[in-house]
Amino acid sequence: MAPCPVKSGVVFGDDLLALFKWAKDEGFAIPAVNCVSSSSVNAVLEGAAKSKNPVIIQVSQGGGAFYCGKGIKDDGYKATIAGSVSLAQHVRAVAPLYDIPVVIHSDHCAKKLLPWFDGMLAADKEYFEKNGEPLFSSHMLDLSEEVDEENIETCVKYFTEMAKMKIWLEMEIGITGGVEDGVDNSGVSKDKLYTSSEQVYAVYEALAPIAPYFSIAAAFGNVHGVYKPGNVKLRPELLGQHQEYAATKSGSPKPLYLVFHGGSGSTADD
């Protein structure tokens, strides 16, 4: 395996692009772990450092609120924003000591949670003005419950602003089933759990002209939660088909950066 191409500590922008390209070229995924306290952040960093691997530290909306303190009312998502920013600042302070590349990421942000997203971007801009880089490495927009046109249009709007600071955008098209952080997709129709290559390429066509700093969470039957093997019908071969389709259309080999959510219940073969 080729050596890791980026320095240790928090990475963003071109370094993050190089990190993800290295993972794609070498055929492995970088794990992302939701954290709800400084202790859980430190535990994840310690585990990654012991295995000498890069890691993604991420915060969800509920995790951000918990990080701030359950005694604070989350009016206007003020506790969620404060807790998420606090987590990012903590990672910024301690990550350089662990001698591994670290990505600071925010997890699923549905349409109703956009005020949380806006608050984190405001913190990114403030940090960028002082330090020449954003507070967070990346953010996720999950508008998969909306129609594709609105989903992509909203992503283009936010990504245009994020790209000015070289913040990575993860977007989701197609729905991840199961339950996570209070979001229940366990009852969605099964056809929505499989994203088509045409849907994925529509995202690529819209975002690629803006900047290369984006990834796509395409559904392939994956779900959040814990299930016995056989209860979840995964179709990981769809991801390869998405790459082939996008490569044919764009003329670039393996142009997509793909994200896997869930996957519990998968067998060793999967």
Side-chain angles (χ1 to χ4, degrees):
M1 178 182 290
C4 180
V6 302
K7 61 180 177 60
S8 60
V10 175
V11 295
F12 82 104
D14 294 325
D15 281 346
L16 184 53
L17 180 63
L19 181 67
F20 286 162
K21 185 177 186 305
W22 175 57
K24 181 167 66 171
D25 291 346
E26 297 293 339
F28 69 91
I30 300 173
V33 185
N34 271 311
C35 296
V36 297
S37 67
S38 58
S39 297
S40 58
V41 168
N42 295 348
V44 173
L45 290 174
E46 182 177 345
K50 285 181 177 178
S51 65
K52 299 181 180 179
N53 284 305
V55 71
I56 301 170
I57 299 288
Q58 65 185 26
V59 61
S60 67
Q61 182 269 318
F66 186 87
Y67 203 100
C68 180
K70 297 298 285 184
I72 304 299
K73 290 185 178 180
D74 202 16
D75 301 329
Y77 298 106
K78 64 183 181 183
T80 294
I81 294 168
S84 300
V85 169
S86 180
L87 179 145
Q89 290 170 335
H90 174 75
V91 177
R92 281 278 179 185
V94 303
L97 303 177
Y98 286 86
D99 200 29
I100 53 168
V102 179
V103 181
I104 311 175
H105 179 63
S106 62
D107 204 6
H108 297 269
C109 178
K111 185 177 181 178
K112 66 180 180 180
L113 300 179
L114 286 176
W116 168 44
F117 201 93
D118 293 334
M120 290 186 293
L121 282 185
D124 284 321
K125 291 177 182 178
E126 181 179 353
Y127 194 90
F128 185 86
E129 289 171 358
K130 296 177 181 178
N131 302 283
E133 58 185 81
L135 178 61
F136 288 81
S137 311
S138 60
H139 297 292
M140 180 184 186
L141 280 173
D142 179 3
L143 302 175
S144 57
E145 294 181 336
E146 316 307 323
V147 297
D148 287 358
E149 291 77 13
E150 181 181 357
N151 183 352
I152 295 172
E153 181 181 322
T154 305
C155 287
V156 166
K157 171 190 169 185
Y158 276 99
F159 190 43
T160 299
E161 293 304 308
M162 294 165 66
K164 296 173 183 177
M165 296 178 280
K166 295 188 176 182
I167 303 174
W168 192 277
L169 170 67
E170 177 195 348
M171 69 84 65
E172 181 165 325
I173 190 162
I175 294 176
T176 301
V179 181
E180 184 187 48
D181 201 35
V183 178
D184 187 350
N185 288 329
S186 57
V188 300
S189 60
K190 297 203 181 300
D191 63 307
K192 292 185 178 180
L193 299 178
Y194 301 95
T195 308
S196 72
S197 295
E198 290 79 8
Q199 286 176 294
V200 172
Y201 191 68
V203 175
Y204 179 83
E205 272 194 310
L207 299 183
I210 300 172
Y213 316 116
F214 68 93
S215 53
I216 302 171
F220 57 101
N222 42 325
V223 299
H224 291 299
V226 179
Y227 303 86
K228 293 181 179 179
N231 287 1
V232 176
K233 179 57 180 174
L234 292 178
R235 295 187 58 198
E237 72 277 4
L238 290 177
L239 302 175
Q241 293 173 17
H242 298 336
Q243 283 285 23
E244 292 175 6
Y245 184 89
T248 300
K249 284 284 194 177
S250 67
S252 301
K254 288 189 177 180
L256 305 175
Y257 290 91
L258 296 170
V259 184
F260 309 159
H261 281 261
S264 297
S266 57
T267 64
D269 290 339
D270 288 332

